[in-house]
Amino acid sequence: MTDTHHRGIGVNVQLLGCIELRTDHGNRVSASPAVRALLAALASSPNTFVSDENVIDRIWQDAAPAHPLNALYTLVTRLRKALRVLGTGEEAGEVIRRQGGYVLVIDTAAVDACRFRALVRQAREAVSREEDVQALRLYEEALSLWHGDPLSGIRTGWADGVRVTLRHEWRAVVLNSAEAGLRLNRHDDYLPQLHELAREYSLDERVAGLLMLALYRSGRQDEALRCFHRIRSELVDRLGDEPGRDLRDLHERILRRDDGIRTGRPAPHALAS
């Protein structure tokens, strides 16, 4: 089950990819790049006051027009018009003027980044109850909301910072999902993604540990051991340091063919979520 379009809100604000306004049925509402940048500047912190100065910085940074407040007023008018296409009042979202700034009043379920975080919270609660099937479904639903690089099209320091945060959250969810999948003995399903993450994040010991475990459980002990030696070499060469105790312990357990890490729970301490 996916939650690509939230039902009953009237509007879907997409930040996890190209910035867009969509109806419940998935139809895109036309808006200029500048209006979409304003939408992102407000929707990234819905129902929260954002000062004129901060909105201008989020949209333009050092490339603001000659009269930024006038330009901002025009963009707000256009964003309000786009929201009216979707509905009226708070059902679709409303840009409200407060002294010195604006608030986007909207149901947070209408913003994909907010839905993503809510699903992740639910998944972590399911993990704490040892309900891995439910947790995995929620993690996968959260990841299905992503459609590319977050806030695509905005190149400001603020947007770069938001992207770094969201990418970090995405990677953590991918790894949490993989952990749940491995506890359900679905190691083969996660090998391709873990290989890709290991190439991209070659110094990440959590990624390496999950890949080693998935390989070992797939009957590929030698590859799991090579994975350890590869990251150890990288850590020593680039950081002058050895892998942490958890990864070293996992390596030793794989060397011993420890039955305790062959299937299901409990996950090794190194891989605890």
Side-chain angles (χ1 to χ4, degrees), residues 25 50 64 92 125 132 173 224 240:
H25 301 292
V50 185
E125 290 167 3
D132 285 321
V173 172

Side-chain angles (χ1 to χ4, degrees), residues 2 4 16 33 58 68 77 86 91 109 129-130 145 155 157 194 214 224 232 236 238 270:
T2 61
T4 305
L16 302 177
R58 290 178 182 188
T77 300
L86 297 165
E91 179 187 14
R129 299 190 300 268
E130 298 192 3
L145 296 174
R155 292 292 176 263
L194 289 170
R232 179 186 178 277
V236 170
R238 294 169 59 180

Side-chain angles (χ1 to χ4, degrees), residues 15 18-21 28 30-41 154:
L15 303 179
C18 294
I19 302 161
E20 291 183 345
L21 268 174
R28 186 170 62 87
S30 179
S32 70
V35 171
R36 293 198 299 271
L38 171 62
L39 174 65
I154 306 181

Side-chain angles (χ1 to χ4, degrees), residues 72-257:
L72 178 57
Y73 179 83
T74 299
L75 293 182
V76 168
T77 300
R78 293 175 179 173
L79 178 55
R80 285 171 173 159
K81 181 178 179 181
L83 288 168
R84 282 198 297 272
V85 170
L86 297 165
T88 58
E90 293 184 13
E91 179 187 14
E94 185 177 4
V95 181
I96 296 178
R97 177 68 182 173
R98 298 279 188 251
Q99 184 174 3
Y102 293 92
V103 177
L104 176 63
V105 177
I106 195 169
D107 190 322
T108 55
V111 182
D112 62 358
C114 295
R115 294 206 301 282
F116 170 77
R117 287 167 172 156
L119 287 164
V120 171
R121 286 193 297 272
Q122 293 172 39
R124 287 173 175 162
E125 290 167 3
V127 168
S128 70
R129 299 190 300 268
E130 298 192 3
E131 297 174 358
D132 285 321
V133 172
Q134 173 72 352
L136 190 58
R137 183 190 69 78
L138 289 164
Y139 281 136
E140 290 175 348
E141 187 172 346
L143 292 170
S144 76
L145 296 174
W146 286 67
H147 302 284
D149 207 24
L151 275 61
S152 293
I154 306 181
R155 292 292 176 263
T156 62
W158 167 78
D160 290 342
V162 172
R163 266 190 291 275
V164 168
T165 298
L166 286 169
R167 288 168 184 159
H168 177 78
E169 292 179 28
W170 174 86
R171 181 171 49 152
V173 172
V174 169
L175 296 179
N176 288 346
S177 175
E179 286 180 355
L182 292 184
R183 288 193 296 268
L184 294 168
N185 299 320
R186 291 177 51 182
H187 31 268
D188 289 332
D189 295 345
Y190 289 90
L191 275 172
Q193 189 171 50
L194 289 170
H195 273 298
E196 184 177 344
L197 286 170
R199 285 190 294 270
E200 187 172 355
Y201 303 101
S202 59
L203 299 179
D204 191 313
E205 295 187 40
R206 187 182 179 200
V207 173
L210 284 167
L211 178 56
M212 288 165 61
L213 185 60
L215 287 167
Y216 179 68
R217 289 184 172 183
S218 299
R220 297 153 70 174
Q221 181 191 28
D222 289 346
E223 287 182 60
L225 295 173
R226 285 198 296 272
C227 177
F228 174 81
H229 292 302
R230 185 162 51 248
I231 189 172
R232 179 186 178 277
S233 177
E234 289 242 16
L235 288 167
V236 170
D237 290 347
R238 294 169 59 180
L239 302 182
D241 201 7
E242 292 283 341
R245 178 181 297 276
D246 289 336
L247 197 63
R248 296 199 309 271
D249 286 348
L250 178 61
H251 173 244
E252 290 296 325
R253 296 178 75 180
I254 291 173
L255 276 174
R256 297 196 309 268
R257 299 179 181 271

Side-chain angles (χ1 to χ4, degrees), residues 34-73:
V35 171
R36 293 198 299 271
L38 171 62
L39 174 65
L42 296 176
S44 62
S45 47
N47 306 308
T48 303
F49 173 83
V50 185
S51 70
D52 292 332
E53 181 182 354
N54 283 338
V55 176
I56 289 167
D57 182 67
R58 290 178 182 188
I59 298 172
W60 292 296
Q61 198 171 352
D62 297 328
H67 303 286
L69 285 174
N70 291 341
L72 178 57
Y73 179 83

